[in-house]
């Protein structure tokens, strides 16, 4: 089967959900995306192409991140407050950590299996800082990160889990990474 459903008991945090999914994934490459299709699958072939073609030296990228914050990328359906929160979170992370990627809070990613297997044991974040922490560790270990501009479309059904508690956890994770990496 090409799709595996990972069921967990209770709410254990977004980062631990990502981690459980990444550990259960099969194959040499792993795509991480929102199941509500806010991340459109049409971008996956371009992400694969970018990974294969690599950087200026011809070295394949280890991670390819879908980005809302490069030319050609964006968001649809967000109000001003949500845009400000996302831009602010990315600005702070870029300023404090300088990870060499434009969208640290996005979760549309293509990973080489060997890369995610080496990084996951080092990741401590359980919330929205999880994705940021992966890129910080990857850059610290000399791994390459490519980007593909995407348009993120806000979900039609349900609501975002981004609230005050998640923002506080993100800021704690950001500061922890700043002081420890």
């Amino acid at each position: 089967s090409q799709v595996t459903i990972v069921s967990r008991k209770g709410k254990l945090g977004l980062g631990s959900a990502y981690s459980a999914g990444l550990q259960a994934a099969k194959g040499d490459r792993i795509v991480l995306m929102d199941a509500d299709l806010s991340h459109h699958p049409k971008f996956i072939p371009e992400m694969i192409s970018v990974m294969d073609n690599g950087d200026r030296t011809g070295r394949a990228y280890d991670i390819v991140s879908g980005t809302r914050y490069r030319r050609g990328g964006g968001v649809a359906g967000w109000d001003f407050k949500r845009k400000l929160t996302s831009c602010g979170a990315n600005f702070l992370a870029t300023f404090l950590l300088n990870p060499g990627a434009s969208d640290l809070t996005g979760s549309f990613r293509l990973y080489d299996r060997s890369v995610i297997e080496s990084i996951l044991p080092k990741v401590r974040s359980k919330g929205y800082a999880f994705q940021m922490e992966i890129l910080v560790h990857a850059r610290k270990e000399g791994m390459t990160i490519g980007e593909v501009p995407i348009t993120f479309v806000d979900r039609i059904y349900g609501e975002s889990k981004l609230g005050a508690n998640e923002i506080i956890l993100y800021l704690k994770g950001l500061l922890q990474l700043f002081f420890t990496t």
Side-chain angles (χ1 to χ4, degrees):
S1 173
Q2 296 291 326
V3 176
T4 302
I5 297 174
V6 179
S7 297
R8 301 169 335 127
K9 295 185 180 192
K11 296 184 84 141
L12 304 172
L14 181 63
S16 67
Y18 287 144
S19 183
L22 289 166
Q23 289 173 13
K26 299 169 180 70
D28 295 331
R29 292 183 173 170
I30 301 165
V31 174
L32 185 67
M33 62 188 288
D34 287 2
D36 65 3
L37 298 181
S38 294
H39 298 132
H40 199 289
K42 71 181 181 183
F43 297 107
I44 295 173
E46 186 177 357
M47 294 170 86
I48 292 169
S49 177
V50 166
M51 181 174 271
D52 287 342
N53 293 325
D55 61 16
R56 289 185 294 264
T57 68
R59 177 181 168 199
Y61 285 113
D62 299 306
I63 300 170
V64 175
S65 183
T67 179
R68 301 161 288 180
Y69 300 112
R70 292 258 188 240
R71 180 184 293 236
V75 296
W78 279 4
D79 61 17
F80 178 74
K81 179 182 170 189
R82 181 79 189 268
K83 287 179 183 178
L84 183 63
T85 301
S86 180
C87 287
N90 275 288
F91 173 79
L92 277 174
T94 300
F95 180 75
L96 292 175
L97 304 173
N98 191 25
S102 66
D103 195 344
L104 295 165
T105 59
S107 58
F108 195 7
R109 304 259 174 89
L110 172 63
Y111 296 105
D112 180 272
R113 169 171 292 289
S114 63
V115 168
I116 203 63
E117 286 176 347
S118 73
I119 293 174
L120 262 182
K122 299 172 181 136
V123 176
R124 300 291 169 245
S125 300
K126 300 297 180 206
Y128 282 88
F130 181 89
Q131 292 293 353
M132 172 182 60
E133 187 172 350
I134 285 179
L135 292 185
V136 169
H137 286 298
R139 183 63 75 191
K140 184 178 178 185
E141 293 185 21
M143 296 173 182
T144 56
I145 302 166
E147 294 187 313
V148 169
I150 64 157
T151 300
F152 178 91
V153 179
D154 200 17
R155 67 182 53 86
I156 297 171
Y157 301 104
E159 295 181 20
S160 172
K161 294 162 200 66
L162 181 62
N165 190 46
E166 286 77 16
I167 292 170
I168 290 168
L169 287 174
Y170 173 82
L171 292 171
K172 284 182 179 179
L174 176 63
L175 291 173
Q176 179 184 5
L177 285 169
F178 176 72
F179 288 113
T180 61
T181 59

